[in-house]
Amino acid sequence: MEITREIFWNVGSWVRWPVYGLGLLVVIIFILGLVKRFRLWRIGKPDIRNDQILKRIGTVLSYGLFHKRILKEPYPGIMHLFIFWGFLFLLIGTALIFLQEDFTRLIFDKVFIQGSFYLTFSFILDLFGLMAIIGVLLAAFRRYILKPERLDNKLEDAFGLLLIFLVLVTGFTNEGLRIAVTRPEFERYSFVGWEISKIFSSSEQAIASLKTAHVVCWWFHVLLAFTFIGYVAYSKLIHLITSPLNQFFRSLTPQGEIKPIPDIENQETFGVAKLQDFTWKQLLDTDACTRCGRCQDNCPAHLSGKPLSPKKVIQDLRNHLNQSAGNLKKQGGGQEETVPIGGNVILEDELWACTTCAACQEACPVFVQVIDKVVDLRRYLVLMESKFSPEVKLFFKNMETNSNPWTIGFATRADWAKDLNLKNLSENKEVEYLLWVGCSGSFDERNRKVSRSLVSLLQKAGVSFGILGSEEMCCGETARRMGNEYLAQILMQQNIELFSNYGIKKIITLCPHCFNTFKNEYHQFGGNYRVFHYSELLLNLYQEGKLKWKTGIEMKAAYHDSCYLGRHNGIYNAPRMLLNSLPDTKVVEMKRNRAKSFCCGAGGGRMWMEETLGKRINQLRVEQIAATGASVVATACPYCLTMLEDGIKEKGLEKGLSVLDITEILDKAC
Amino acid sequence: MDVIVCLKQVPDTETKIKINPEGTGIVTEGIKYVMNPYDEYAVEEALKIKEKFGGTVTIISMGPARVVDAIRNALAMGADEGVHLNDPAFEGSDSFTTAKILSKVIKDMKYDLILTGKQAMDFDCSQVFGCLAELLELPYVSVVTGLEISADGKTAIAKRETEGGVEEIIQMPLPAVVAAQKGLNEPRYASLPGIMKAKKKVIKEINLTTLGMTASEVGEAGSKMKTKNFQLPPERKAGKKIEGEPPEAVKEIVRMLHDEAKLI
Ligand code: SF4
Ligand code: SF4
């Protein structure tokens, strides 16, 4: 017997014509749906995203095809992997059949799905089909029985799952019915169909009814499959298209970089008020979101009970896009929206709750960005409407007059270093590095100690460096994240001018926020420097033997990753290696560490705002620290230090737990 | 309603004041200047009145070239026009002379109300606007924490703080001079379009000649008050902490108040 199967067995090969017709219709419906979405994205502003093609393809392969991020969580990861790969193989199988029936056989009378290939083909398709069914069942179980908080259930979720399930089940039933009637022994390879066929009696009398059942089931399957394809373009299943697209067009600039408002002096409006003010990529983001909720599960604002959820922000924007779809025209034309998005679609409390920690973006499997939208919407509130809390206003005013967030005169900026015998660049600019102290290290009593430790270490290692003294200004990082792009640009440009006057090429920063801004943002205004966070530099010095530890420090220390060092700049190891290099110091990890680290609550300007909604983020982090049993939490960021120290005091844990900056620990050892 | 706001640029309140070696003034180098904080309330109030009644808000300020920043700041907040009294001869004017100069400019202008801060945070004299009101023969209310303009724009009711926490309510015909106290309102933060617009506005410059006064009438020459020299106040001594149990501590305080401070 020939090992193959008749593709249109029992239904007759004439069905190809109605199936073609239906198929064509479905493809048109599908394309129309996509075009509709495409046109919605196009109302956005331009953004160039076709550079580094290979890297982009690589992203789609590793994060799309191979689920690199999705698999970080085992249950939903495997669940999705099963459905995805199951369907992918079924799609390939169907495509092969199409190729054979409608090309090779029709034109060359060649059947290639036969013999041992047929057997492998049957086995693999049954295996992957089964995987898909298991995946769907896992998904349904999770969604409707386990009900994780991060999933919200809509009708489309149930409908989608049911549709997929029925397509798979009817497919297998077809196979079972066919095998029950034809019963070739080699069909054992179609093992699922084989088992199903056993359900049906294959007596002579039954055959006729089995055949009828097959025809009915076959059509049912075809109709369901087509419904599925059409439905993709009109439901959340569109993520089949938009997610890989979004992965392809992902941002390849550093995570910590915020895009400038270009040519700010000559713009008329600032920030985002309406959908057209977003870029097309930002709008695509909203369509790529699958509502998986991973972002929200990692968001410190959400976890501390604030009104912000990154998933909700993206979904609210998406719904807004859908609602506005009717009266949107391309930018410049059409009906203008009357109310700005910030404050109406996304509430002010949501926007101001974001710490720009990037935990959401790091978790998102499809590379949806939230921070860019938050900052764009804040920009509108701040620059156009002057809508912000009194604390934020005070911050801006202080920045304007004294270039620091406190109401402290700028002239006292270098008072912390009075007795340290440090040279200002104005006295001696022939140094290798500028030590950029930053506002916290200069003005905050506690962080001034950190500055002194750092200076002591640099001096011991014989590094040639100087400071700017009272010429130093704020780097502009925080004002920028608070949406005051104008103030930020003024500060940045003034600093760049100062740096070029002194011919500065290398900068050491105490603070990861300054570090991020110099490294990733100053180039926007022509400032290009080699920037080191002290942790990297000290590690180098230690490895070169220029820093030596005289004593060990006996303690159990938990290292708290600063968002702007870790997630935004990928520096996870240097601080840990420094701590581990100390004899007798034991470094322990918190449950949320490295890329999954939990923000201290200070980023994005939150340091300078009251935290009245929900729980306090710093206290949540302190609880996580306390759970490790560490006696010291080591930090490498002045904001984190302040927040955690406050958190420890607020929780009354000062007795057993203290915060030390890494420089303070190291300085004690050498 | 046309409102005139007189404002002054003063050193930032956080400035560490240093006296120059000759003792004739302060070291101005490295000082950040800001709009006098009380004047910000005046600007805000003027803008609110404009929003309610329409009309214009004109800013007048006297001082060297740097003062333009403060005027622009007010324009960025939403004021319509700026007038800058700038002439080296004006320097050293005392409160009365300043009021004279201001009255000379203002008397030919069209206005319904003159607003200003209750005092400038540099010299803290709080004299100019009493003098100005006198020279213009207008009513004057200071330390105002609430201002209500009647619907016809003819009268105003001001709330003012007095010592001892008593609140006075004063009704006055307009035009009048009103000086703002903290609490009158919450000054706005200029929007960026406002800042951009303000940058392009032409500020009217007035000097001695255009003002039509002579050098002997203004500046130090025209002033009734002469500054002999500048001194920093003596440093405040550290407070004393009285240790011990409350009964003993109280006795000790009483003793100190009686024997040392001679208050009781
Ligand atoms: S950046 Fe951080 S705080 Fe902001 S939405 Fe994302 S996870 Fe939440
Ligand atoms: S933004 Fe990303 S992580 Fe968040 S729900 Fe959407 S797809 Fe999931």
Side-chain angles (χ1 to χ4, degrees), chain A residues 649-666:
Chain A
K649 270 187 220 135
E650 286 153 16
K651 300 215 69 122
L653 296 173
E654 305 100 303
K655 286 244 161 61
L657 185 58
S658 56
V659 193
L660 288 174
D661 189 89
I662 290 185
T663 53
E664 297 178 289
I665 302 174
L666 296 180

Side-chain angles (χ1 to χ4, degrees), chain A residues 264-265 268 270 383-384 386 388 393 396-397 400-403 407-410 412 415 484 486-487, chain B residues 12-16 30-34 40 73 186-193 195-196 199-200:
Chain A
I264 196 163
E265 300 272 341
E268 269 162 25
F270 307 91
L383 299 175
M384 297 296 292
S386 299
F388 37 74
K393 182 174 153 203
F396 292 154
K397 286 258 167 188
E400 285 167 7
T401 37
N402 284 306
S403 306
T407 317
I408 306 181
F410 71 100
T412 58
D415 283 4
N484 199 335
Y486 183 64
L487 179 55
Chain B
D12 172 44
T13 46
E14 290 309 305
T15 312
K16 253 207 194 131
I31 288 184
K32 292 261 164 133
Y33 288 92
V34 296
E40 282 188 41
N73 197 346
E186 192 46 57
R188 68 194 65 191
Y189 187 82
S191 74
L192 190 46
I195 295 173
M196 297 301 180
K199 277 192 182 179
K200 292 187 195 122

Side-chain angles (χ1 to χ4, degrees), chain A residues 617-632:
Chain A
I617 294 176
N618 59 341
Q619 292 186 13
L620 294 185
R621 186 55 164 170
V622 166
E623 283 165 20
Q624 297 167 14
I625 297 165
T628 63
S631 59
V632 165

Side-chain angles (χ1 to χ4, degrees), chain A residues 15 105 207 223 291 298 338 354 433 459 542 570 621 651:
Chain A
V15 297
R105 209 166 83 123
I207 288 217
L223 291 178
R291 293 178 27 242
N298 288 286
T338 45
C354 178
Y433 296 95
Q459 285 173 335
Y542 170 73
R621 186 55 164 170
K651 300 215 69 122

Side-chain angles (χ1 to χ4, degrees), chain A residues 288-295 311 314 363-366 368:
Chain A
C289 171
T290 63
R291 293 178 27 242
C292 76
R294 286 169 194 242
C295 49
K311 168 178 155 176
I314 299 297
C364 178
V366 299
V368 168

Side-chain angles (χ1 to χ4, degrees), chain A residues 446 449-450 453-454 456-457 460 534 538 548-560 575 578-587 631-636 641 658-670:
Chain A
R446 175 69 184 85
K449 289 190 188 143
V450 180
S453 306
L454 178 56
S456 156
L457 286 164
K460 282 175 196 161
Y534 76 71
L538 293 181
K548 290 197 182 71
W549 315 140
K550 290 201 196 93
T551 60
I553 307 260
E554 214 185 303
M555 65 178 179
K556 192 170 159 192
Y559 173 66
H560 163 81
L578 280 168
L579 286 174
N580 274 319
S581 72
L582 289 171
D584 310 326
T585 299
K586 188 169 178 281
V587 182
S631 59
V632 165
V633 51
T635 56
L641 187 142
S658 56
V659 193
L660 288 174
D661 189 89
I662 290 185
T663 53
E664 297 178 289
I665 302 174
L666 296 180
D667 195 39
K668 264 192 248 166
C670 88

Side-chain angles (χ1 to χ4, degrees), chain A residues 464-520:
Chain A
S464 147
F465 70 98
I467 58 173
L468 284 165
S470 58
E471 280 186 285
E472 191 183 278
M473 275 171 280
C474 177
C475 63
E477 188 265 359
T478 308
R480 190 167 228 205
R481 277 150 189 79
M482 283 172 155
N484 199 335
E485 179 68 9
Y486 183 64
L487 179 55
Q489 288 195 10
I490 290 177
L491 290 166
M492 292 165 100
Q493 269 153 357
Q494 284 174 344
N495 281 323
I496 289 173
E497 205 182 306
L498 193 64
F499 291 174
S500 58
N501 286 347
Y502 286 123
I504 288 163
K505 298 200 177 62
K506 295 184 186 176
I507 305 174
I508 309 168
T509 74
L510 179 89
C511 169
H513 295 262
C514 310
F515 170 73
N516 177 67
T517 293
F518 290 141
K519 190 168 175 191
N520 300 324

